[in-house]
Amino acid sequence: DTAVSQTPKYLVTQMGNDKSIKCEQNLGHDTMYWYKQDSKKFLKIMFSYNNKELIINETVPNRFSPKSPDKAHLNLHINSLELGDSAVYFCASSPTVLTYEQYFGPGTRLTVT
Amino acid sequence: KNQVEQSPQSLIILEGKNCTLQCNYTVSPFSNLRWYKQDTGRGPVSLTIMTFSENTKSNGRYTATLDADTKQSSLHITASQLSDSASYICVVPSTDSWGKLQFGAGTQVVVTP
């Protein structure tokens, strides 16, 4: 009965590969987010979707492409992975875009070698 | 410049002792401030939310205070337990766009036996 789940938990891959991270929430929330947490522990917003519509798109390389097939799912696809992409990626959701209470998933630790 | 600054960056305390973490923010206008707890290898979990009209709010052994005039908040942990070892993150809604949050870098707390 996990609220926000992500797969995989760990992802180790080589430079230049393409990979995807999946996120699902069973809370019935309208809004979902992708965050990147680097080695300095700062959480930085990457994208946000509200009812499958992109509403936040921070300055992120276009190698990163989010996709929301429905409001319960938000996936992140990364092309041509680089060493600097190594980080922990968190998915989160909130009831609405106006609700600042966000519920986070367990994170996906991506290591690019 | 980050609009949410936290101090100290890290601290070590003995089990059973108290500690206080600080958060200064510059976001304006201000609506609310949250404290999140992030255990190692997990996503952040909300501890408490303070609106601009609240001065103090408790959640078990955690007590948050807010001074909206000086734009400062503190999180006090009473009678610390080993399970309190975590990063504590101060979060304020951004004024850039709906749903966007400004995160502090967090204070890493280590409770030792």
Side-chain angles (χ1 to χ4, degrees), chain B residues 9-77:
Chain B
Q9 188 175 18
S10 62
L11 67 93
I12 301 173
I13 58 173
L14 288 174
E15 187 178 10
K17 297 297 185 182
N18 304 335
C19 67
T20 300
L21 318 178
Q22 301 291 342
C23 174
N24 295 337
Y25 61 92
T26 59
V27 172
S28 183
F30 169 79
S31 61
N32 64 79
L33 181 148
R34 291 180 185 275
W35 283 94
Y36 279 84
K37 178 186 180 188
Q38 184 176 16
D39 292 314
T40 300
R42 293 177 176 255
V45 175
S46 180
L47 280 177
T48 184
I49 175 174
M50 306 283 291
T51 62
F52 66 89
S53 61
E54 295 176 305
N55 299 121
T56 304
K57 182 173 281 189
S58 293
N59 177 4
R61 294 178 297 100
Y62 299 102
T63 299
T65 66
L66 175 66
D67 186 334
D69 292 331
T70 61
K71 296 184 187 280
Q72 293 179 328
S73 177
S74 66
L75 182 69
H76 186 76
I77 305 176

Side-chain angles (χ1 to χ4, degrees), chain A residues 9 33 35 37 40-45 48 55-56 58 90 97-107, chain B residues 2 4 31-32 34 36 38 41-46 49 87 89 93-94 97-101 103-105 108:
Chain A
K9 174 76 171 169
Y33 311 81
Y35 287 90
Q37 189 173 44
K40 294 184 178 179
K41 303 300 183 183
F42 260 112
L43 275 159
K44 296 179 183 177
I45 183 76
S48 176
I55 57 171
I56 295 176
E58 290 295 283
F90 286 98
V97 69
L98 300 178
T99 312
Y100 292 99
E101 174 89 60
Q102 294 186 12
Y103 296 79
F104 286 81
Chain B
N2 193 36
V4 182
S31 61
N32 64 79
R34 291 180 185 275
Y36 279 84
Q38 184 176 16
R42 293 177 176 255
V45 175
S46 180
I49 175 174
S87 178
I89 306 172
S94 171
S97 59
W98 295 112
K100 187 176 174 182
L101 299 174
F103 289 81
Q108 185 67 45

Side-chain angles (χ1 to χ4, degrees), chain A residues 34-73:
Chain A
W34 275 113
Y35 287 90
K36 179 180 181 181
Q37 189 173 44
D38 58 25
S39 57
K40 294 184 178 179
K41 303 300 183 183
F42 260 112
L43 275 159
K44 296 179 183 177
I45 183 76
M46 300 174 69
F47 303 102
S48 176
Y49 272 74
N50 186 60
N51 273 323
K52 301 192 299 177
E53 181 182 342
L54 182 65
I55 57 171
I56 295 176
N57 187 354
E58 290 295 283
T59 307
V60 177
N62 57 16
R63 298 181 295 102
F64 290 79
S65 54
K67 279 190 172 52
S68 181
D70 55 62
K71 74 174 191 177
H73 296 84

